[in-house]
Amino acid sequence: MDLVLATRSSHKLGEIRKILAVVPGLRVLDLDEVGAPYDAAEEDLEPYDTFEENAASKASHFQEITGLPTVADDSGIMIDLLGGAPGVRSKRFAPERGLEGLARDQANNEHLLALLGDAALPKRSARYVCVAVLDRGDPNDVTQVRGEAPGLILDAPRGSGGFGYDPLFFDEELGQTFAEIAPEEKNARSHRGKA
């Protein structure tokens, strides 16, 4: 079975391909492989306030374009001390605009640390959230799943793996950040892996 993965993020694509590699007979295709070139309209596919709505919007959009079963996810980090922020705005959390890749990740992490200030570690509770939606082209045949991973936000980054908030996201059970653990272990424990 061919499955389109509705993301332009190479990090996400690599992670999800590894997670889905255990499914026999499944071929995960990226948007370029199915002839879906970038369109500026994609920037408006996530206007909603919930992970569920944003993931469904992306899955539906790319399923209509490709005609193939399509999975999309919306994911982010929710910080309890910040009332659940940044949530669905995790990718564009920092006030600086026009940043991409590692520069954007660094700006987001610095902004998060500034907002948390000197709050003690036990008060820095957080959770990564991922909602994945599989759209098969039939409104009565859409699957939606949610995965969460609890953790704490450290006051300084640790590790060189992962992406996004991973260097700050501390898994208490392992005693390491998501940027310090092996990709296979992260995939088994992460919000995306669970979803």
Side-chain angles (χ1 to χ4, degrees), residues 12 15 28 37 55 59 65 75 101 106 148 162 174 176 184 186 195:
K12 228 186 238 195
E15 237 179 51
V28 179
I65 288 173
S75 54
Q106 185 173 349
E148 296 190 10
L174 292 178
Q176 294 179 300
E184 299 77 23
K186 178 187 171 191

Side-chain angles (χ1 to χ4, degrees), residues 66-173:
T66 65
L68 295 169
T70 301
V71 68
D73 88 315
D74 192 31
S75 54
I77 194 165
M78 300 180 75
I79 314 296
D80 295 323
L81 197 58
L82 301 180
V88 296
R89 306 291 174 245
S90 294
K91 182 178 175 182
R92 297 169 186 86
F93 187 46
E96 297 88 352
R97 295 292 169 241
L99 300 175
E100 290 300 323
L102 293 176
R104 183 182 57 222
D105 288 351
Q106 185 173 349
N108 285 336
N109 285 328
E110 289 171 0
H111 185 58
L112 176 58
L113 291 176
L115 290 175
L116 292 177
D118 60 0
L121 187 61
K123 294 185 182 252
R124 293 169 169 255
S125 57
R127 66 191 177 282
Y128 265 133
V129 176
C130 173
V131 172
V133 171
L134 172 61
D135 189 320
R136 298 172 186 88
D138 176 350
N140 298 314
D141 192 16
V142 175
T143 303
Q144 184 178 97
V145 291
R146 183 181 180 107
E148 296 190 10
L152 298 171
I153 301 301
L154 298 180
D155 60 4
R158 286 186 7 197
S160 58
F163 62 98
Y165 298 92
D166 288 353
L168 297 175
F169 190 80
F170 184 74
D171 184 309
E172 291 184 271
E173 191 175 312

